[in-house]
Amino acid sequence: MVGLVRQTSSQVHIDASTVDLLGADLFTDYQPEEWVGGLVAAAPSGDAVRIVCGQEIAGIHVIAQLWDGRPPMGATDTEAWQDIAEVSVDWRSPLLDFGTTGDGEDQAQQLVMPGPGTYRIRVSARNRDDGDPREDGDPTEAVRIQVWQAPVEEECVIKQSSRTAHLWTDQ
């Protein structure tokens, strides 16, 4: 039976509309030409994934999970999240940092990886269309990142229902 190995979550400051998933060197110069499901893109060179958000500069809630196999996808997942997409990435770093503008020292913004290899990353997002900038009381944008070791597969869009996703897909 597939199980959750570890999970971390944090409020993350984004700048330039993206959450960057980076290796230990905390650097990428990758600029996606296309976004899978208007949501996510993986760098062909590995150790970098970008997630596009509905806001340019903001604080968003990020949940990162490491699984020991493909996480289940039930009706509650597709109801709770506006957009869901998957990509494969070659990951060589011992951690996946999602701090975006941090210094790499906040362990709540890092997911420890089991080792180098090919991983599948499923990104789910919600509250992407609720304003930019947000007012007090507006819903907080949220992203869930689910990671597991798996052979390379085609990128796939599981759900695409936000206006933001359609905007980034139609570019």
Side-chain angles (χ1 to χ4, degrees):
M1 178 174 216
V2 174
L4 180 64
V5 175
R6 70 182 61 93
Q7 174 174 299
T8 186
S9 66
S10 182
Q11 192 74 8
V12 174
H13 178 77
I14 60 163
D15 193 355
S17 300
T18 64
V19 172
D20 292 337
L21 311 182
L22 302 172
D25 64 2
L26 300 178
F27 175 79
T28 185
D29 59 0
Y30 174 59
Q31 296 297 325
E33 292 181 22
E34 292 184 26
W35 296 94
V36 178
L39 180 60
V40 62
S45 62
D47 276 1
V49 173
R50 283 214 155 133
I51 301 168
V52 69
C53 300
Q55 301 168 88
E56 183 178 2
I57 299 171
I60 68 167
H61 184 72
V62 177
I63 303 162
Q65 303 174 330
L66 177 66
W67 289 77
D68 60 8
R70 182 180 301 275
M73 174 66 71
T76 51
D77 291 295
T78 56
E79 290 170 10
W81 300 95
Q82 288 177 296
D83 304 311
I84 306 169
E86 291 183 6
V87 296
S88 293
V89 66
D90 184 36
W91 207 265
R92 297 170 300 275
S93 177
L95 60 90
L96 182 150
D97 186 282
F98 57 89
T100 301
T101 58
D103 57 12
E105 294 183 15
D106 187 347
Q107 292 183 354
Q109 296 180 350
Q110 297 176 347
L111 188 63
V112 176
M113 303 294 277
T118 304
Y119 289 84
R120 191 72 174 168
I121 297 180
R122 178 186 299 152
V123 177
S124 305
R126 65 175 160 230
N127 302 326
R128 297 176 81 200
D129 297 334
D130 292 313
D132 184 25
R134 303 276 166 108
E135 302 295 327
D136 289 342
D138 286 344
T140 301
E141 189 166 352
V143 173
R144 180 181 65 185
I145 303 156
Q146 296 173 300
V147 181
W148 65 98
Q149 287 188 304
V152 174
E153 296 178 39
E154 289 292 317
E155 302 167 335
C156 75
V157 177
I158 297 168
K159 181 180 180 183
Q160 183 179 6
S161 65
S162 73
R163 290 185 314 274
T164 299
H166 289 285
L167 171 74
W168 286 100
T169 303
D170 296 339
Q171 291 188 348

